[in-house]
Amino acid sequence: MSVTTSPVLEYTTDMLRNLAQADVARALAEDVGTGDLTAALVPASKIARARILAREAAIICGGPWAEAALRQAAPSAQWNWRVAEGQRCQPDQTVLELTGPARGLLTAERTVLNFLQLLSAVATRTADYVAAISEASGSHANVRGRIVDTRKTLPGLRLAQKYAVHCGGGWNHRIGLYDAVLIKENHIAAAGGVTEVLAQVRATPSIAGVAQFVEIEVETLAQLEEALQAGATMVLLDNMDLPTLREAVRLNAGRAILEVSGGVNMGTVREIAATGVDRISIGALTKDVKAIDFSMRFMDL
């Protein structure tokens, strides 16, 4: 069975630019308010050269947001990326060079850095998990899992964070509640059981016509077997230990796409991948983010 990314987001230049423009407008409104009081101390005619440094190794992500902040706060600024989007930088490496009005650069500084530190952190963590899966495939022939994100994102920044997962080599899960069906334990309980809730999906054509996919969460092997018998094509294995995961893969026998959730970290992801599951979803990619350290420094003043 082929593993698909669902839903598919096309990160075109126009899509990213429009998304970044909206995100940055909110961020600047929050930060600048009625005006940058401190930047007003700098002569309006002052032109500055600056560089943004990464203080640690990272996958660079967030270029469209940095550029949007510069366009909005320092429209005449010019810039040159020294490390391209999605590429790895080294500690103390210059990733971006800037020239423009000092006031505008100072006003844009924190917003530029905030987006770079957040999105680069998500991309970097994702890349680490992807690399771990790749390493596991060298010693386990049945490794085929994909690292997948979740809806555990910062409010208002979901698409930005999902783009960062993509930038780090991960795959996107559903975007929200509107584009795919993920039946969890409370849905199952409210509907009366696994078989009943899957039957309800088939009886609701409006869902089937819109949903990118239908996935059901199970907590036991008995629930898995029931879901497969009821025609499930995508199953989320929730918080199962390794022996149970291996048995789930055996029982499934390729009938459905199997996704693992819960208990995934850098210490466990290789062994989970080695069970032969198709997807490994990790909320920590976007939820538990430790920002990458960036700084901006003026030059030649």
Side-chain angles (χ1 to χ4, degrees):
M1 176 175 294
S2 62
V3 184
T4 59
T5 179
S6 304
V8 176
L9 278 179
E10 292 190 28
Y11 296 106
T12 64
T13 299
D14 286 344
M15 180 270 202
L16 291 174
R17 182 164 180 162
N18 291 337
L19 175 61
Q21 181 176 326
D23 288 344
V24 165
R26 293 194 305 272
L28 285 174
E30 177 181 65
D31 199 29
V32 179
T34 57
D36 185 342
L37 299 179
T38 314
L41 301 174
V42 176
S45 60
K46 183 68 177 180
I47 300 298
R49 294 177 61 239
R51 58 180 179 169
I52 291 180
L53 301 166
R55 298 301 188 183
E56 55 188 303
I59 300 293
I60 294 299
C61 183
W65 286 261
E67 293 177 9
L70 292 166
R71 288 191 190 97
Q72 293 181 40
S76 62
Q78 298 181 330
W79 55 84
N80 177 43
W81 288 97
R82 299 290 299 275
V83 181
E85 189 88 339
Q87 298 300 305
R88 186 172 289 275
C89 69
Q90 300 305 314
D92 296 321
Q93 184 174 358
T94 297
V95 300
L96 179 60
E97 295 176 338
L98 306 164
T99 303
R103 282 187 179 182
L105 295 182
L106 289 166
T107 298
E109 176 182 3
R110 179 40 54 194
T111 297
V112 169
L113 297 181
N114 280 350
F115 279 107
L116 284 177
Q117 71 185 24
L118 170 66
L119 300 184
S120 295
V122 173
T124 303
R125 174 169 284 189
T126 302
D128 289 343
Y129 275 100
V130 171
I133 293 294
S134 178
E135 291 169 7
S137 66
S139 54
H140 298 279
N142 59 337
V143 170
R144 57 184 177 182
R146 299 280 187 173
I147 299 300
V148 182
D149 58 24
T150 73
R151 288 167 48 239
K152 297 176 181 177
T153 54
L154 299 181
L157 292 175
R158 177 166 297 171
L159 289 181
Q161 287 193 281
K162 282 183 172 286
Y163 163 70
V165 168
H166 167 81
C167 207
W171 286 31
N172 295 143
H173 208 287
R174 61 177 175 166
I175 305 306
L177 298 174
Y178 59 88
D179 63 330
V181 173
L182 177 50
I183 304 165
K184 299 176 75 68
E185 67 272 16
N186 288 331
H187 301 101
I188 293 170
V194 169
T195 301
E196 290 79 5
V197 75
L198 288 172
Q200 185 61 35
V201 171
R202 291 191 294 274
T204 312
S206 60
I207 293 177
V210 172
Q212 296 275 353
F213 60 84
V214 175
E215 182 174 17
I216 186 166
E217 177 185 274
V218 301
E219 298 175 324
T220 66
L221 293 176
Q223 281 189 324
L224 170 62
E225 188 59 48
E226 182 181 357
L228 293 172
Q229 290 296 328
T233 58
M234 193 170 180
V235 181
L236 179 64
L237 309 173
D238 184 45
N239 282 297
M240 291 183 178
D241 59 24
L242 289 171
T244 307
L245 288 177
R246 295 187 191 101
E247 181 62 12
V249 171
R250 189 192 70 79
L251 287 173
N252 180 55
R255 287 180 284 177
I257 292 172
L258 295 184
E259 178 178 330
V260 169
S261 178
V264 184
N265 55 54
M266 286 301 295
T268 62
V269 69
R270 292 177 182 84
E271 289 185 313
I272 290 172
T275 64
V277 296
D278 301 295
R279 294 157 60 103
I280 303 172
S281 56
I282 306 173
L285 298 179
T286 52
K287 178 174 67 74
D288 303 328
V289 182
K290 179 183 180 298
I292 300 296
D293 187 9
F294 290 94
S295 64
M296 187 172 84
R297 291 290 182 265
F298 276 15
M299 302 181 292
D300 302 333
L301 292 181

